[in-house]
Amino acid sequence: MYTSHKRVSGLILCLLLIVLTGCAAQQGNRPEDIRLVSVAVPPAKTTAPSFLIPEWQQPYNRIGTVQARRNNGVEQISIDPGSATVYHGRFTFTTESGTFINYVYRVHFQKIPFSLIPFHLGAGSNVGVLVVVTVDKAQRPLLVTTANTCGCYVAVIPTSYLPGSAYPDNWPEQQQRIYGEVLPAHLQMSAPDDRFQVSIRPEVHRVMDVQVIPANHHPSRQTVIAGLQPLSALKSLPLPGGTTTSMFYGTWPLRGHVKGAIKPWESLLLSLVSLDFYVGMDKEYGNTDESGNPFYTSLKPWNRRSSDMNDFAGFLRFHGWKL
């Protein structure tokens, strides 16, 4: 009997050691083992959103840092998934109601992988997501606008600080549908310094949710603190030898597009409809006169200028907002 108890005790001890060893290993998880990650910038940047990233174990799902190099003398732009960087800018725009500020946040991923089942229309490299937080003169967030950096899948979400008179006609009460994704129609805020959390769908890097997170909220999940760089850093990427280059092409016919970001399927299937062979290719954001490339958000060629997100006041009017 004693021998039997001894064997049982030994078995229990082994199981406990396995469990404890497993727990210890989990606490020291490598990035490729973490499946859900919150990517945030230092808390001093109060308008900056955090990004909730599922399937972080896949390098192409990680927010990365834009880098440049030369390969056999040929310049190449790529995204390093080993470190996260959020690129930010500040722009003002004026409407009949007054002057507003846009805080812009841009992130990039290695690629949307090629896939036939499910079919990834936007497959290609160096893809990105843009989040724009529009605030009034009291620094109250009024709108959160999201788009892929190709100008695709744009969504505008009002907060509880935006008066109802500024909404488009027939605005939905609960949800809005953006080409297969369901996003909130409103964001209820309790204080102006509440933060926004943007959830990114893995592989295709579509915005699949936006939520309000109280300023005093402490995330329970794994958090990666991202570096913060100005949007201008994308135009002065360091190269070996002390020189720099831009993430964007500077000459026709690709001026204002992200280097290496051509989307073969979109060019094949949508270029005729949009009259743009480079449709779906990621772009520079900020000023159309400087980039030479409108950040258009409608595929109809006659809406290319009126839907240009670089002209934010005109962009809002085009989409029915009365800010």
Side-chain angles (χ1 to χ4, degrees):
M1 181 67 71
Y2 174 79
T3 303
S4 177
H5 280 302
K6 190 174 181 179
R7 287 176 179 172
V8 171
S9 299
L11 180 60
I12 293 173
L13 180 60
C14 288
L15 290 173
L16 282 173
L17 285 172
I18 292 170
V19 170
L20 289 173
T21 303
C23 291
Q26 287 178 359
Q27 297 196 12
N29 276 340
R30 299 169 296 171
E32 58 267 27
D33 296 329
I34 303 168
R35 294 183 176 271
L36 184 65
V37 164
S38 174
V39 178
V41 301
K45 197 70 178 176
T46 55
T47 59
S50 60
F51 295 87
L52 191 62
I53 314 289
E55 298 187 23
W56 183 264
Q57 74 276 12
Q58 295 290 351
Y60 53 71
N61 287 331
R62 301 177 197 165
I63 291 173
T65 298
V66 183
Q67 60 182 10
R69 64 174 180 168
R70 288 193 180 96
N71 186 9
N72 295 324
V74 178
E75 182 185 298
Q76 293 182 337
I77 301 295
S78 61
I79 313 301
D80 175 15
S83 64
T85 299
V86 176
Y87 300 88
H88 70 101
R90 179 185 183 275
F91 302 85
T92 61
F93 69 96
T94 301
T95 70
E96 294 180 356
S97 302
T99 298
F100 303 89
I101 300 172
N102 276 346
Y103 292 102
V104 176
Y105 302 95
R106 180 174 185 143
V107 296
H108 275 273
F109 303 86
Q110 271 189 338
K111 63 182 178 179
I112 294 174
F114 282 88
S115 173
L116 292 178
I117 303 175
F119 180 56
H120 291 169
L121 176 66
S125 299
N126 300 345
V127 297
V129 170
L130 204 67
V131 179
V132 180
V133 180
T134 302
V135 304
D136 61 14
K137 60 183 179 181
Q139 292 292 301
R140 298 179 306 174
L142 304 178
L143 299 168
V144 177
T145 302
T146 67
N148 287 61
T149 51
C150 53
C152 318
Y153 311 122
V154 67
V156 183
I157 310 175
T159 78
S160 49
Y161 290 114
L162 185 74
S165 59
Y167 282 42
D169 297 336
N170 303 314
W171 188 249
E173 293 186 5
Q174 299 295 329
Q175 299 172 329
Q176 54 177 315
R177 298 184 179 275
I178 309 295
Y179 297 99
E181 298 291 354
V182 179
L183 299 180
H186 311 269
L187 293 170
Q188 184 64 41
M189 301 186 70
S190 58
D193 60 349
D194 284 349
R195 308 289 291 270
F196 301 107
Q197 180 178 267
V198 179
S199 297
I200 305 293
R201 187 169 298 282
E203 295 192 4
V204 293
H205 312 313
R206 292 277 309 277
V207 173
M208 61 178 179
D209 195 15
V210 179
Q211 295 181 328
V212 176
I213 305 296
N216 59 359
H217 173 74
H218 298 288
S220 57
R221 60 180 58 89
Q222 175 75 30
T223 300
V224 170
I225 301 300
L228 196 62
Q229 291 193 42
L231 288 173
S232 58
L234 295 174
K235 295 184 176 182
S236 57
L237 301 171
L239 279 169
T243 59
T244 62
T245 189
S246 174
M247 184 185 196
F248 311 105
Y249 292 103
T251 57
W252 186 88
L254 287 169
R255 184 181 172 197
H257 290 90
V258 171
K259 294 174 181 175
I262 195 166
K263 308 285 183 60
W265 287 122
E266 293 199 55
S267 292
L268 178 64
L269 299 175
L270 297 178
S271 59
L272 186 60
V273 175
S274 63
L275 298 184
D276 180 4
F277 181 74
Y278 303 109
V279 62
M281 198 170 177
D282 297 77
K283 304 172 185 176
E284 182 178 346
Y285 178 80
N287 187 316
T288 298
D289 291 336
E290 291 181 7
S291 68
N293 191 15
F295 199 93
Y296 65 82
T297 57
S298 169
L299 280 179
K300 297 175 181 177
W302 52 88
N303 290 334
R304 194 144 298 168
R305 287 290 176 179
S306 57
S307 71
D308 184 0
M309 201 167 151
N310 287 331
D311 172 14
F312 207 79
F315 159 82
L316 289 177
R317 284 194 303 272
F318 174 79
H319 288 283
W321 297 91
K322 304 165 188 147
L323 189 61

